[in-house]
Amino acid sequence: MTRQLTAHIDTTRTPLVSKIAEIVEREFFERGGLVLSEASDAVDLTLTIRPGIGLEGFSITATGAGIRITGNDERGLLYGVGKYLRGCTFGEDANSFCHCTWTGVSVPKRPVRGMYFASHFHNFYHDAPVEQVTRYVEELALWGCNALAVWFDMHHYNGINDPAAQAMIQRLRAILSAANSVGIGAALTTLGNEGYANSPTELRADWTAGHDGYFAPPGGHYHVELCPSKPGGLELILKCREEMLAAFADLDIEYVWNWPYDQGGCTCSDCAPWGANGFLKIAPPYAALIHRMLPRAKVILSTWYFDHFIAGEWEGFAQALGNAKPDFADYILADDYGDHFPEYPLLHGVPGDLPMLNFPEISMYNMYPWGGYGANPLPLHLQSIWDACGKALSGGFPYSEGIYEDLNKAINLQHCWGDIDATDTVREYASGVGSPELAEDITTAVLLMERNHTHRLVDLPNQQELRDQLFPEDGGELACVFIKHIADPGAAFQCDEIMQVIERRLTRPAQASWRWRVLRLRAAIDAEIARTGGRMTVALDAMLEELVGIYHAQNAEAQVCPHSRRSILRLVAE
Ligand SMILES: [Zn+2]
């Protein structure tokens, strides 16, 4: 039997307020079988807006038997609803529902709480049904996410009219429209000297090293990028940009990124050092174009991989920008892959005296395939990086390859929201996925998972041997060892035991949710690897296949595909 609860929307029903009401109704029904109906007095839940709390902030207060969620503005109301929903108890029996017990006021400290979805390699963002991606975007907003970046990666296509380019534009537009509908500003990732696959060879950028100070070739260069120092190069860059921005111009684009390397860059004598020279030949006219076409958009100038291939880029870039805010950038983005934030802006201040954003790695760190074993929670790792750079930041855009690092997204969004400790965010996440009373046990399990974070594949044998080992004709044991043994088998067994106990205490909707499944599978997969030393088993194969299904990774490339038997054979055959 379903139970009725009453809600009162005590504010103008703008499209976003209606969307918020829809999300609350959906969560109540899906997680607790509760039907929310509207009333105006003696209500269980009141949603309202009252400025004065602080930009994008909210308050949650008890009102007799009910709860009132007040947003400073529409976004604040949405984030308050997110906080509330994660604290509610949804029992198996609808009568066991309890409101979130957290009350108080919360206002974000940092203005930019973004996310970057990499939509490639047939990962979730690339291949999942678009309704699932848009639903996911809505759920991210509940954590305070207010900006979402995607990249129309030109090098795949022969011009903007290439049918494949148009298909990608349509998909990215759907994702960004979903973001806009839930109060998330859209952001476009672009490379400074980006080029199409059929860019004119005579205008292409140099990527060689060993001259002009370059001690290494730029990582991840596509070799179709354009050189802005060659006659006609800058003009072509801007022409392609104008077409591309026009394809997104009717959306609410809040940010456009201008990115130097990985991919991108030109190592020619006239552009060297790229970050302090060629890249800055593009930045002012490109920013002027952005301001003309997307008047609301702010420009984020990235410094990614400065000083990785040539020395002195940070210094030269800082000199070029000076101490006054330049008119071609509103934010500086800085970060590095792995364990450290770049030292330069922490020691010398941010060039141009601009606010700084980060680009934390939450997807690929020390695990291959990425997401290949289920969830990859990294609370202690992400906390240590945040401790080093958080106070210098105005927000950031974590790099995301899929939904398996959903918990890492929450950690970063809450770091940006209010320097909230990563373990506290794990607890709040666990409360939302399981229930408040299971939050502590799930947190214990997550911390055990992180102790076994590093996962690697071993070198695989040839196709025929693989087939014999993975599908033995005698029906005997599978022989193939394909994962390196994990570091702490004791922690893996303990984690799996805790998760088994938790699972029995979850409601059926919680047990079936993908957020629980990716955590549960990670624990069980680690325990199975610990038991067998990394050998494929029928049980392990079934768990990896379930992950393939959750990620829609049936056609995924190796780095984003769980290596079930079927996936391994497909990938070695390709
Ligand atoms: Zn050049």
Side-chain angles (χ1 to χ4, degrees):
M1 200 183 89
T2 53
R3 178 181 163 197
Q4 301 272 342
L5 284 179
T6 51
H8 178 39
I9 314 294
D10 188 14
T11 185
T12 313
R13 272 196 177 258
T14 62
L16 181 49
V17 168
S18 296
K19 174 59 86 176
I20 294 167
E22 178 195 317
I23 290 171
V24 177
E25 266 178 50
R26 185 170 77 195
E27 291 273 318
F28 268 58
F29 186 73
E30 291 185 0
R31 289 171 62 195
L34 300 164
V35 174
L36 210 55
S37 58
E38 287 208 35
S40 55
D41 57 296
V43 292
D44 298 295
L45 185 62
T46 305
L47 304 183
T48 186
I49 290 175
R50 190 167 307 145
I53 297 172
L55 190 66
E56 301 186 6
F58 60 84
S59 73
I60 302 179
T61 49
T63 57
I67 288 285
R68 174 189 297 270
I69 305 173
T70 309
N72 178 78
D73 37 55
E74 291 174 278
R75 281 180 173 177
L77 177 59
L78 175 61
Y79 309 146
V81 160
K83 176 86 179 168
Y84 165 79
L85 288 171
R86 290 188 290 276
C88 289
T89 300
F90 296 96
E92 199 68 69
D93 166 6
N95 288 316
S96 51
F97 169 79
C98 293
H99 285 296
C100 170
T101 56
W102 187 93
T103 55
V105 177
S106 187
V107 180
K109 282 187 185 173
R110 295 177 181 78
V112 186
R113 301 177 305 278
M115 201 59 61
Y116 167 65
F117 285 1
S119 52
H120 59 180
F121 304 149
H122 299 280
N123 66 10
F124 179 84
Y125 306 124
H126 193 184
D127 273 17
V130 76
E131 317 81 70
Q132 284 192 26
V133 182
T134 57
R135 165 91 183 240
Y136 185 61
V137 169
E138 293 181 10
E139 291 168 354
L140 257 190
L142 294 171
W143 280 101
C145 179
N146 66 359
L148 177 64
V150 296
W151 178 21
F152 170 66
D153 181 350
M154 289 163 56
H155 97 285
H156 291 294
Y157 316 113
N158 288 320
I160 199 159
N161 294 319
D162 184 330
Q166 287 297 316
M168 179 53 81
I169 286 171
Q170 288 320 309
R171 186 168 179 91
L172 297 178
R173 283 179 53 88
I175 294 171
L176 295 181
S177 298
N180 282 170
S181 80
V182 73
I184 294 178
L188 297 172
T189 303
T190 69
L191 308 180
N193 63 329
E194 197 156 2
Y196 284 109
N198 59 352
S199 62
T201 0
E202 68 280 8
L203 292 183
R204 284 184 179 172
D206 192 359
W207 67 90
T208 61
H211 59 86
D212 296 291
Y214 279 93
F215 51 79
H221 202 275
Y222 285 143
H223 307 342
V224 298
E225 290 88 335
L226 300 161
C227 170
S229 301
K230 290 180 177 168
L234 183 57
E235 289 72 14
L236 183 58
I237 288 170
L238 294 171
K239 178 182 168 288
C240 294
R241 274 293 158 246
E242 188 165 357
E243 286 174 351
M244 178 264 174
L245 294 178
F248 295 91
D250 60 315
L251 298 171
D252 182 12
I253 306 291
E254 210 166 327
Y255 306 95
V256 179
W257 306 9
N258 184 5
W259 197 267
Y261 287 123
D262 182 31
Q263 286 73 28
C266 179
T267 62
C268 82
S269 304
D270 293 330
C271 288
W274 175 250
N277 180 14
F279 184 51
L280 291 177
K281 292 181 181 173
I282 300 163
Y286 183 24
L289 179 70
I290 293 165
H291 292 144
R292 178 166 62 77
M293 296 187 66
L294 308 168
R296 230 176 76 72
K298 297 188 172 71
V299 176
I300 299 175
L301 204 55
S302 167
T303 60
W304 183 254
Y305 282 0
F306 275 9
D307 295 350
H308 274 228
F309 319 109
I310 187 169
E313 283 182 305
W314 265 110
E315 210 173 336
F317 178 81
Q319 271 169 19
L321 265 62
N323 293 322
K325 284 190 168 65
D327 59 6
F328 55 88
D330 299 288
Y331 289 94
I332 295 296
L333 185 149
D335 219 318
D336 213 326
Y337 181 88
D339 298 296
H340 300 289
F341 191 83
E343 262 184 2
Y344 188 92
L346 298 179
L347 292 175
H348 304 280
V350 184
D353 200 26
L354 290 164
M356 181 162 67
L357 309 175
N358 70 348
F359 188 63
E361 157 48 37
I362 60 170
S363 286
M364 307 178 284
Y365 183 75
N366 279 352
M367 198 172 266
Y368 190 93
W370 311 328
Y373 313 89
N376 69 336
L378 287 163
L380 302 185
H381 168 74
L382 295 172
Q383 185 64 45
S384 74
I385 294 177
W386 184 255
D387 288 344
C389 64
K391 58 187 174 303
L393 299 174
S394 295
F397 286 86
Y399 174 94
S400 173
E401 282 281 351
I403 54 174
Y404 56 90
E405 23 77 318
D406 188 57
L407 176 47
N408 294 336
K409 292 191 183 88
I411 288 169
N412 276 283
L413 290 168
Q414 293 291 286
H415 275 153
C416 289
W417 180 279
D419 298 304
I420 293 163
D421 187 85
T423 311
D424 289 337
T425 300
V426 174
R427 223 169 264 125
E428 187 168 323
Y429 185 93
S431 169
V433 172
S435 74
E437 65 167 2
L438 294 173
E440 207 54 55
D441 289 349
I442 296 174
T443 303
T444 303
V446 164
L447 293 172
L448 287 166
M449 274 175 211
E450 188 173 12
R451 279 165 58 179
N452 270 321
H453 180 78
T454 302
H455 288 57
R456 291 266 179 270
L457 297 173
V458 299
D459 292 333
L460 294 173
N462 69 39
Q463 199 173 343
Q464 189 51 51
E465 275 178 55
L466 262 177
R467 192 174 292 279
D468 294 343
Q469 291 180 6
L470 291 171
F471 295 93
E473 280 184 5
D474 60 6
E477 240 186 16
L478 313 186
C480 179
V481 172
F482 79 112
I483 303 166
K484 287 198 175 151
H485 201 36
I486 57 175
D488 186 345
F493 294 133
Q494 194 191 347
C495 177
D496 190 45
E497 280 164 25
I498 293 170
M499 293 295 268
Q500 285 178 37
V501 175
I502 296 166
E503 185 154 47
R504 289 196 286 272
R505 299 175 61 195
L506 291 174
T507 61
R508 271 163 296 176
Q511 281 174 359
S513 73
W514 68 261
R515 285 185 175 80
W516 168 254
R517 290 308 298 161
V518 296
L519 285 165
R520 179 70 194 95
L521 288 166
R522 169 65 192 284
I525 286 170
D526 278 10
E528 184 71 354
I529 296 171
R531 190 179 69 76
T532 65
R535 191 169 52 79
M536 180 62 86
T537 62
V538 171
L540 182 57
D541 185 47
M543 294 190 280
L544 296 168
E545 270 297 317
E546 185 180 344
L547 288 174
V548 169
I550 292 170
Y551 304 162
H552 298 276
Q554 289 81 1
N555 297 309
E557 293 183 28
Q559 58 272 53
V560 291
C561 187
H563 279 41
S564 65
R565 289 190 286 176
R566 207 165 50 153
S567 301
I568 293 174
L569 289 183
R570 175 177 64 79
L571 291 164
V572 295
E574 275 171 8

